[in-house]
Amino acid sequence: MPWKNQGGGPWGSGPKGPWGSGPQPVGPRPPDLEDLLRRGQDRLQQIMPGGYFSGIGITLIVLLIVAFWLLSGFFRVQSEELGVVLRFGKHVRTVQPGLNYHLPYPIETVLLPKALRVSTISIGMTLIDDPARRGRSIRDVPEESLMLTGDENIVDVDFTVLWRIKPDGVGDFLFNIQNPEGTVKAVAESAMREVIGRSQIQPILTGARNVTEQGVQELIQKTLDTYGAGIQISQVQMQKVDPPAQVIDAFRDVQAARANLEQLQNEAQTYANQVVPQARGRSAQILQAAEGYREQTVAEAKGQSSRFLKVYEEYKKAPDVTRERIYLETMERVLGGAEKLVYDGGRSGQGVVPYLPLSELTAKRPPATGQQSSGGNR
């Protein structure tokens, strides 16, 4: 055709279109994929003598694949994890945190549960985002917290359960239960309702919180062990134990009255502890004095009787002398303290001058006020 001889078609020579010159190259051209593959094959042929389709090349490729496959068995266990190694789906061993190795997939696989971390489950309350306070606030969940006591009262209980995976029960935790958190929450709520249902409301609100927590923890652990869950309950903490909001004012009045009663009882007990020992001390003192008086009286009576018997023995030996001696001793004892002189009126008493103590018989008058006593007696 004539237009072919014009070198470019009817619009002139060169790669031109009907609107002028043809497309101009913009920037460097991208590398050709076929060229890159060809260069890679050439380099591989240079490395492996005889070509990569020879026996030595295939062996090297297989060895590289096997080496990468064997190296894929290394794995790292974090500080809060335990490595559970499964061989064709069966639990064979548990490894500690750090760098470990297992046979590559599909022979062995590894699971990494957070077995060393203590988890927390709240029952009766939930945390919600509060944009107004720029944080999280606690919202009560009545369908979980309201419980019936043994004396047919309703109490509002919010509590927290701290749990972790048993070090020797990781396999049970992974394969025996499907939803661990849901299982722990359901068992904990059931155990708390059972313990509250066996208790009276007053001890629960006052001083039996520790006993209730211990009972709930033991019941939860017993139930989970029955399930074979591989879970260890660390602690049960009762956050809030109150009557329902509708009757909380009346319960507070009752608590105040009970506090006043306990205060008065303590004061009475203190007074009793002070008075009773004093009364016991006085009674012991009186008893000891009476005992001493009894011993003294008995001893004196025994002494007098013994003396009388001895005197009687002497009296039987010499009645006259003894009689006179008794008379003289009796008169001496009777008149020993009297201010009198006794004489028999014989010759020895002729020189005795009668004397009448007029100054002792008349009452002495006190001196008059303002007067000084004279130097002599009148």
Side-chain angles (χ1 to χ4, degrees), residues 55-369:
I56 298 176
I58 295 175
T59 303
L60 290 176
I61 293 175
V62 172
L63 290 177
L64 289 175
I65 295 174
V66 172
F68 281 111
W69 180 67
L70 292 176
L71 291 176
S72 65
F74 287 98
F75 65 96
R76 179 177 295 275
V77 181
Q78 301 299 328
S79 59
E80 293 183 351
E81 300 175 342
L82 287 178
V84 180
V85 179
L86 307 178
R87 182 175 299 167
F88 298 111
K90 181 181 179 181
H91 179 208
V92 291
R93 67 182 184 277
T94 302
V95 296
Q96 298 297 321
L99 184 62
N100 297 275
Y101 181 80
H102 68 86
L103 295 178
Y105 180 85
I107 300 176
E108 289 184 353
T109 56
V110 63
L111 299 177
L112 300 174
K114 304 288 184 180
L116 303 181
R117 182 179 64 184
V118 178
S119 302
T120 303
I121 293 180
S122 299
I123 301 174
M125 57 183 177
T126 183
L127 296 176
I128 59 175
D129 295 331
D130 191 354
R133 298 182 179 178
R134 296 181 180 179
R136 307 183 71 183
S137 60
I138 299 176
R139 183 176 65 87
D140 194 17
V141 184
E143 56 271 17
E144 295 179 358
S145 61
L146 294 179
M147 302 180 185
L148 187 65
T149 63
D151 51 356
E152 297 182 356
N153 286 297
I154 298 177
V155 64
D156 190 358
V157 180
D158 295 344
F159 64 100
T160 303
V161 179
L162 305 179
W163 63 278
R164 59 188 296 268
I165 303 173
K166 293 182 179 180
D168 56 347
V170 182
D172 296 336
F173 175 79
L174 292 174
F175 305 116
N176 288 351
I177 55 177
Q178 184 176 4
N179 184 7
E181 293 187 358
T183 302
V184 173
K185 184 174 183 179
V187 173
E189 183 178 351
S190 176
M192 180 62 74
R193 291 186 182 277
E194 180 176 347
V195 174
I196 294 296
R198 295 198 304 258
S199 306
Q200 304 293 322
I201 188 172
Q202 193 58 40
I204 296 174
L205 296 176
T206 54
R209 176 171 297 188
N210 294 332
V211 178
T212 304
E213 292 176 350
Q214 187 66 26
V216 173
Q217 180 177 351
E218 293 177 356
L219 186 56
I220 295 174
Q221 188 64 60
K222 181 179 179 181
T223 305
L224 292 176
D225 291 342
T226 304
Y227 294 165
I231 295 176
Q232 178 69 40
I233 302 299
S234 301
Q235 190 178 5
V236 176
Q237 299 176 350
M238 300 178 69
Q239 305 294 336
K240 183 188 71 172
V241 183
D242 291 327
Q246 295 80 356
V247 295
I248 191 171
D249 294 335
F251 269 88
R252 288 176 178 173
D253 294 339
V254 173
Q255 294 299 322
R258 290 183 180 276
N260 294 333
L261 175 62
E262 293 179 357
Q263 181 181 0
L264 294 176
Q265 289 178 348
N266 293 333
E267 292 178 356
Q269 187 65 35
T270 303
Y271 177 74
N273 294 336
Q274 180 181 0
V275 173
V276 171
Q278 294 178 356
R280 290 177 178 175
R282 288 196 299 268
S283 64
Q285 182 180 3
I286 294 173
L287 291 176
Q288 290 178 358
E291 186 68 22
Y293 176 75
R294 183 179 68 84
E295 295 293 336
Q296 179 182 0
T297 303
V298 171
E300 291 178 354
K302 288 181 179 180
Q304 292 177 0
S305 64
S306 177
R307 181 174 177 277
F308 179 79
L309 291 176
K310 291 181 179 180
V311 172
Y312 178 69
E313 293 294 334
E314 298 296 330
Y315 176 77
K316 289 192 299 182
K317 294 178 181 179
D320 297 335
V321 176
T322 304
R323 185 183 302 109
E324 184 177 358
R325 179 181 176 182
I326 292 173
Y327 173 77
L328 293 176
E329 290 179 353
T330 303
M331 295 304 296
E332 182 180 1
R333 185 171 62 252
V334 172
L335 300 177
E339 296 182 356
K340 293 180 175 63
L341 293 176
V342 179
Y343 64 97
D344 54 359
R347 294 180 180 179
S348 58
Q350 292 180 359
V352 176
V353 178
Y355 171 72
L356 183 63
L358 297 177
S359 60
E360 295 180 2
L361 295 177
T362 59
K364 296 182 179 180
R365 296 180 181 179
T369 304

Side-chain angles (χ1 to χ4, degrees), residues 15-24:
K16 297 181 180 180
W19 298 280
S21 62
Q24 300 295 327

